[in-house]
Amino acid sequence: MAASTTFTTACIIFCVLIGANVEAEEETRPPHIAIVGGGIGGTSAAYFMRELFGSDAVIDLYEKNTIGGRLATVNINSREYESGGSIIHPENLYMVNFTKILGLEKREKNSGAIMGIFDGEELRLTTSPYSVVTLAKMFWHYGMDIYNLQTWVSNILVKFKRIYTTQDAGYAYTNVPELLASMDPSFANYLKKSVIKVMREEGFHDALIYELVLGAMRTNYGQGVEIPGFVGAISMAGVDSGLWAVKGGNKMVPENIVKHSKINVIAAEVKMVEFLEDEPFLYEVYYRKDNNNEAKSKRYDMVVIATPLHDEISDIKFEGFQQDIHNFPQKYHKTVATFVHGRVNSSYFGVEQPADMPNEVFTCNMDLLLNSFGQHLPVDYNSASDTVPPIDSNIVGKLFSNRELTQEEVKLYFESIEEVHTVSWMAYPEYNFKKIDDLPPFLLNERLYYVNAIELAASAMEMEAIAGRNIALLAYNHWHDNLDKIDEKYVDPAHATSPETVLVLAIKQS
């Protein structure tokens, strides 16, 4: 009896030790990570995960099309033009840093471009190649609103940039409102109000809102001033000065990230993600390559979804989960970019002399088919060797609309046409501040993350990069049980001046 008891006890101890060793091995070995989607969100997550987990981590990125996603170019007249996300703000730290780290060059926006606001009959306002003249015209048209707008956007950018300090400190968030609140509590509130309400509360007048602001919303998101205040604020930053793009195309950033970070790209479509629960690996990813009916699979410790989980975009199945995971109900907005190589019909825009036609036109009438017009330069444009074609000559122009244009409709905007290319995107969500409580989370399940949750707050290259780093930090903190850095407010020591803040820091440091 005693011998039997001793044997049983030894078995228990042996099993406990084996279990402890397995658990220790799981904690110390480098993780196996799957990323589904090769746009700027997925590649940003890959970049930051490589930084955090090191060179030994296995990082597979699944992309059924080309790396870059909605960052792409179109060939017109033997040169490439930006067809997706086309502008980057000078304060977008991640995009700026990616460009430097990857050895890419900036391509400045046409500094001499003239912008106009069109109501369907006439241009209500045009800018000037000279900034002083533009400021005077804006002030004459909008009064102090134009100065207050610059101040408001500047303050928003100051608050926005706090996320970089927070992420540098290793903090991450499982949902979008918490991430935005880490920048400033007002940002989470901006989600629940329309941009028109936010701006009226800030003291702006309808003349500015229904012209300049509406024009920006239509050109950036194809929607009006009823979209949520946060995405509206981000949109207004997109008409700021100093905007730029990457020489060779913004798609160069995600393309070079996967090379720089040594990410294993698998050219395949992910069909299913299965939760294994008690296996050494939590997930099995089933995928299928082009022209191959045979489904393959690989197992991972964590999975990052970096493609919108919405109807008409994704049909990934999720199996083995206790709670159902499926596509989210919010719809995505179809936007159509029609590129035309030809001569603009300036008379449509109420301009008698073609040479007086603006290079860029916002529309401030929701009944108009056209959201905006813009003269575009090739992605390899070099100011030293290239000249900007005069607006009254053959140019490449981009027409933004919410549906495809007929040939007769294109002829309304161009009096002569040599070439037409149409690019249709499910580009960004249909924004609705009344449905903001349905925002999807960054954390779908244990170690299952969703980058594109950020798009329901605002869709932009820098927002995707911020979400990518947030996901990388979430994964790293979960892997190493750094739970004190998840969904916690970060207090920057440089701004710790109040007695309450000093006390909180003292408790944390102790």
Side-chain angles (χ1 to χ4, degrees), residues 115-305:
M115 187 269 287
I117 300 177
F118 181 59
D119 63 7
E121 296 182 1
E122 62 179 359
L123 292 170
R124 293 190 182 181
L125 175 72
T126 57
T127 63
S128 165
Y130 306 102
S131 58
V132 174
V133 177
T134 293
L135 188 59
K137 294 179 77 170
M138 289 279 195
F139 189 82
W140 178 260
H141 196 77
Y142 296 121
M144 285 299 293
D145 266 6
I146 199 63
Y147 170 78
N148 293 335
L149 180 64
Q150 290 178 329
T151 303
W152 183 64
V153 170
S154 295
N155 288 338
I156 284 172
L157 287 172
V158 169
K159 297 173 182 177
F160 182 89
K161 287 162 64 177
R162 292 173 186 163
I163 191 61
Y164 303 126
T165 306
T166 299
Q167 293 190 327
D168 284 346
Y171 284 73
Y173 301 91
T174 59
N175 62 78
V176 175
E178 288 285 347
L179 182 142
L180 298 186
S182 73
M183 304 178 190
D184 192 83
S186 65
F187 285 178
N189 292 329
Y190 279 6
L191 292 174
K192 302 175 182 178
K193 301 177 182 179
S194 66
V195 67
I196 186 172
K197 184 174 183 179
V198 167
M199 297 196 75
R200 281 173 174 169
E201 289 176 351
E202 293 288 340
F204 293 104
H205 298 91
D206 282 2
L208 179 93
I209 295 171
Y210 280 107
E211 288 184 6
L212 184 60
V213 177
L214 176 57
M217 301 305 115
R218 282 172 61 78
T219 192
N220 289 330
Y221 293 108
Q223 296 163 69
V225 290
E226 291 298 323
I227 67 175
F230 182 76
V231 67
I234 296 298
S235 190
M236 291 312 300
V239 296
D240 209 349
S241 59
L243 303 175
W244 58 281
V246 175
K247 190 172 183 180
N250 293 329
K251 67 179 183 180
M252 297 283 287
V253 173
E255 285 178 353
N256 282 274
I257 281 177
V258 296
K259 298 174 186 176
H260 172 87
S261 300
K262 295 180 172 58
I263 306 302
N264 179 38
V265 176
I266 299 176
E269 180 180 9
V270 170
K271 304 301 291 184
M272 187 173 74
V273 176
E274 183 181 9
F275 183 46
L276 303 176
E277 196 165 358
D278 58 352
E279 295 287 333
F281 292 100
L282 277 182
Y283 294 100
E284 188 154 7
V285 172
Y286 296 83
Y287 62 96
R288 183 169 290 148
K289 295 188 176 183
D290 288 342
N291 303 321
N292 190 342
N293 292 325
E294 181 185 356
K296 298 182 178 181
S297 69
K298 291 186 72 173
R299 292 189 172 189
Y300 298 94
D301 297 292
M302 56 189 78
V303 175
V304 176
I305 304 296

Side-chain angles (χ1 to χ4, degrees), residues 279-397:
E279 295 287 333
F281 292 100
L282 277 182
Y283 294 100
E284 188 154 7
V285 172
Y286 296 83
Y287 62 96
R288 183 169 290 148
K289 295 188 176 183
D290 288 342
N291 303 321
N292 190 342
N293 292 325
E294 181 185 356
K296 298 182 178 181
S297 69
K298 291 186 72 173
R299 292 189 172 189
Y300 298 94
D301 297 292
M302 56 189 78
V303 175
V304 176
I305 304 296
T307 185
L309 293 177
H310 296 269
D311 294 341
E312 300 182 354
I313 300 177
S314 172
D315 61 355
I316 300 172
K317 301 292 186 292
F318 295 90
E319 298 290 342
F321 295 85
Q322 291 182 351
Q323 292 185 337
D324 189 25
I325 296 179
H326 48 72
N327 283 353
F328 295 99
Q330 297 94 340
K331 293 182 179 179
Y332 262 58
H333 184 89
K334 182 179 180 179
T335 189
V336 179
T338 305
F339 292 85
V340 184
H341 181 212
R343 191 181 298 267
V344 180
N345 178 16
S346 63
S347 63
Y348 173 85
F349 298 95
V351 179
E352 292 184 5
Q353 298 298 325
D356 295 332
M357 176 71 191
N359 307 88
E360 189 171 5
V361 177
F362 292 175
T363 61
C364 62
N365 183 339
M366 290 296 290
D367 293 330
L368 292 178
L369 172 61
L370 186 67
N371 290 333
S372 65
F373 155 82
Q375 179 181 0
H376 274 241
L377 302 179
V379 297
D380 61 348
Y381 171 79
N382 188 330
S383 58
S385 57
D386 286 329
T387 58
V388 178
I391 191 66
D392 57 347
S393 66
N394 273 0
I395 66 162
V396 172

Side-chain angles (χ1 to χ4, degrees), residues 11 55 58 104 176 250 331 363 391 408 426 469 504:
C11 286
S55 59
V58 176
L104 302 173
V176 175
N250 293 329
K331 293 182 179 179
T363 61
I391 191 66
E408 292 305 313
M426 299 301 286
R469 191 176 187 190
V504 169

